[in-house]
């Protein structure tokens, strides 16, 4: 195994090589020894392989980050424990249904944003599924008789359908349906970014607008292909095919390294309630200072581990860590430290004392002799001077 690893420059290059090998193997299985491979899709195949390599490199670098690696390790550790089996299943199913399928997290920011995001997300997922399924030869259609088609998935016949039935029409126009969803969603997003003054101030053209224009180009050119052969008898169809292919290639190359990368890593949101909530949406970790529950033991432990790996020393004088305190107490501790004021770990919710003993004359309290830390013989002379009625 070590000799295999030494054959590559990095882990990312090794994983990319394995992914490409697996894809070629799946093409061989799906196309039944390349018998049903469509040479017209060769351009899409090459761009899809580039997409797979880029996505593997991006995912590898993301998974090797200390925070991500800690969350993954915690997830694997939890999934192996039988006592958390029910909690884990509930967390995974509930989060997957609410955050991924229904996308409630974005609907909470507004119905308009929710609808636009839902259409773009599920339009892209559907388009990728159909495109990759056809490009890699994982599925194809076979004519059983003049009135019947069957869908073959990885060499196995699955669903038979009437050649001119409603279901067949939905299958044939699957890409048109998903492209229409993306087109509507992208138009809504662009309208919001043009009209909303708050969004215009914070958005970046290369990060927020470029992916939307890219999706717009892919969907428009793809739908124009359908218009060409359905309504215009194939007018300019060949040139439109080339233009559409170029837009798809650019999108697939851009995808792993731009804003759209958040799509494949979204499922990790299921790890948050699964790993860090023994009870659903209930915190159990009390703050060391005020006793308010604000987190859970696994989450605090993981935060300490991540900060340790990144060499952030946030340990306090009493041996505790900043993560052992609730957010309100953390802010209080920071303020007290910035003011050079001690002690910062006192109990209760007393107001912060801002006097640090270095006030300007006339605006602060009288200092005691202890403040100056005089030598012992000076203190004796000073004491004797005061006993004799001397004035400071």
């Amino acid at each position: 195994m070590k000799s295999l690893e030494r054959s590559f420059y990095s882990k990312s290059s090794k994983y990319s090589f394995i992914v490409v090998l697996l894809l070629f193997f799946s093409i061989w299985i799906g196309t039944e020894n390349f018998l049903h491979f469509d040479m017209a899709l060769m351009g899409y195949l090459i761009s899809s392989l580039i997409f797979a390599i880029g996505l593997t490199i991006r995912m590898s670098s993301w998974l090797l980050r200390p925070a991500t690696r800690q969350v993954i390790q915690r997830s694997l550790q939890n999934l192996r424990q039988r006592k958390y089996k029910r909690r884990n299943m509930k967390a995974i199913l509930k989060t997957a249904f609410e955050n991924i399928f229904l996308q409630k997290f974005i609907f909470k920011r507004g119905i308009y944003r929710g609808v636009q995001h839902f259409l773009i997300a599920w339009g892209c997922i559907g388009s990728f599924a159909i495109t990759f399924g056809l490009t890699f030869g994982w599925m194809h259609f076979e004519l059983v008789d003049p009135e019947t088609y069957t869908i073959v998935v990885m060499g196995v016949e699955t669903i038979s359908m009437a050649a001119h039935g409603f279901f067949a029409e939905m299958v044939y126009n699957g890409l048109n349906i998903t492209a229409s969803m993306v087109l509507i969603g992208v138009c809504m997003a662009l309208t919001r970014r043009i009209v909303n003054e708050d969004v215009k101030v914070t958005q970046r053209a290369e990060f927020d607008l470029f992916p939307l224009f890219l999706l717009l180009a892919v969907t428009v050119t793809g739908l124009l292909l359908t218009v060409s052969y359905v309504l215009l008898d194939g007018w300019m169809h060949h040139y439109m095919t080339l233009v559409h292919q170029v837009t798809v290639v650019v999108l697939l190359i851009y995808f792993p390294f731009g804003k759209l990368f958040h799509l494949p890593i979204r499922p990790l949101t299921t790890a948050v309630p699964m790993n860090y909530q023994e009870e659903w949406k209930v915190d159990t970790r009390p703050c060391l200072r005020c006793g308010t529950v604000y987190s859970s033991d696994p989450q605090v432990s993981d935060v300490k581990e991540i900060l340790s790996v990144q060499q952030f020393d946030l340990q306090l004088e009493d041996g505790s860590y900043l993560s052992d305190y609730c957010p309100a107490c953390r802010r209080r501790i920071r303020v007290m430290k910035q003011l050079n004021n001690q002690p910062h770990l006192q109990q209760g919710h007393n107001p912060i004392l801002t006097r640090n003993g270095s006030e300007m004359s006339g605006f602060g309290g009288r200092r005691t002799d202890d403040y100056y830390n005089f030598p012992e013989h000076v203190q004796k002379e000073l004491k004797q001077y005061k006993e004799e009625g001397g004035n400071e």
Side-chain angles (χ1 to χ4, degrees), residues 121-391:
W122 281 108
C124 287
I125 292 172
S127 298
F128 280 135
I130 297 172
T131 302
F132 292 143
L134 296 174
T135 301
F136 292 128
W138 295 338
M139 57 177 288
H140 65 272
F141 303 98
E142 282 189 2
L143 185 63
V144 179
D145 57 56
E147 296 296 330
T148 308
Y149 270 109
T150 185
I151 301 175
V152 182
V153 179
M154 301 301 286
V156 180
E157 295 184 2
T158 57
I159 301 174
S160 296
M161 56 188 181
H164 303 288
F166 174 76
F167 180 71
E169 291 296 331
M170 294 291 289
V171 173
Y172 300 153
N173 292 288
L175 271 177
N176 292 326
I177 295 171
T178 55
S180 300
M181 292 172 63
V182 176
L183 179 62
I184 296 171
V186 168
C187 290
M188 292 175 67
L190 287 173
T191 302
R192 174 174 169 270
R193 292 192 174 276
I194 292 172
V195 173
N196 192 311
E197 297 294 334
D198 295 336
V199 177
K200 288 167 67 175
V201 172
T202 58
Q203 69 185 2
R204 289 184 293 161
E206 72 280 7
F207 188 74
D208 297 307
L209 295 179
F210 179 70
L212 291 177
F213 286 126
L214 200 52
L215 290 173
L216 186 66
V218 173
T219 53
V220 168
T221 55
L223 290 172
L224 283 178
L225 284 175
T226 304
V227 173
S228 173
Y229 70 77
V230 171
L231 301 177
L232 304 176
D233 296 328
W235 180 74
M236 298 285 287
H237 189 272
H238 177 67
Y239 300 103
M240 290 183 185
T241 302
L242 292 177
V243 173
H244 178 63
Q245 198 167 103
V246 169
T247 60
V248 172
V249 170
V250 174
L251 174 66
L252 292 178
I253 295 174
Y254 165 81
F255 187 97
F257 307 104
K259 187 176 183 178
L260 298 176
F261 179 68
H262 73 276
L263 180 63
I265 63 175
R266 187 67 193 172
L268 192 67
T269 55
T270 57
V272 176
M274 182 180 71
N275 294 340
Y276 305 124
Q277 291 178 342
E278 296 181 3
E279 299 178 35
W280 185 259
K281 295 184 178 179
V282 174
D283 293 326
T284 55
R285 174 81 173 210
C287 173
L288 279 184
R289 184 174 178 277
C290 66
T292 304
V293 289
Y294 68 101
S295 183
S296 64
D297 290 334
Q299 185 169 11
V300 173
S301 175
D302 284 354
V303 168
K304 291 178 182 176
E305 187 69 26
I306 294 167
L307 294 176
S308 174
V309 172
Q310 295 178 321
Q311 298 182 342
F312 282 105
D313 183 16
L314 299 180
Q315 190 172 17
L316 305 179
E317 290 84 351
D318 64 344
S320 62
Y321 289 83
L322 204 59
S323 55
D324 291 321
Y325 302 87
C326 68
C329 288
R330 280 180 227 160
R331 288 193 291 271
R332 183 186 181 88
I333 291 172
R334 288 194 190 98
V335 171
M336 299 293 279
K337 291 290 288 184
Q338 290 168 1
L339 294 173
N340 295 320
N341 212 343
Q342 299 291 342
H344 57 269
L345 301 175
Q346 57 185 327
Q347 297 295 323
H349 290 279
N350 301 324
I352 294 176
L353 301 176
T354 58
R355 291 178 55 191
N356 56 11
S358 59
E359 294 89 352
M360 294 179 63
S361 176
F363 294 91
R366 184 186 183 88
R367 291 171 181 165
T368 63
D369 295 335
D370 297 336
Y371 175 81
Y372 299 100
N373 195 22
F374 293 129
E376 189 174 351
H377 69 282
V378 176
Q379 292 183 19
K380 287 181 180 179
E381 292 177 359
L382 186 60
K383 184 179 179 182
Q384 184 180 359
Y385 177 73
K386 288 182 179 178
E387 289 174 352
E388 294 174 355
N391 191 358

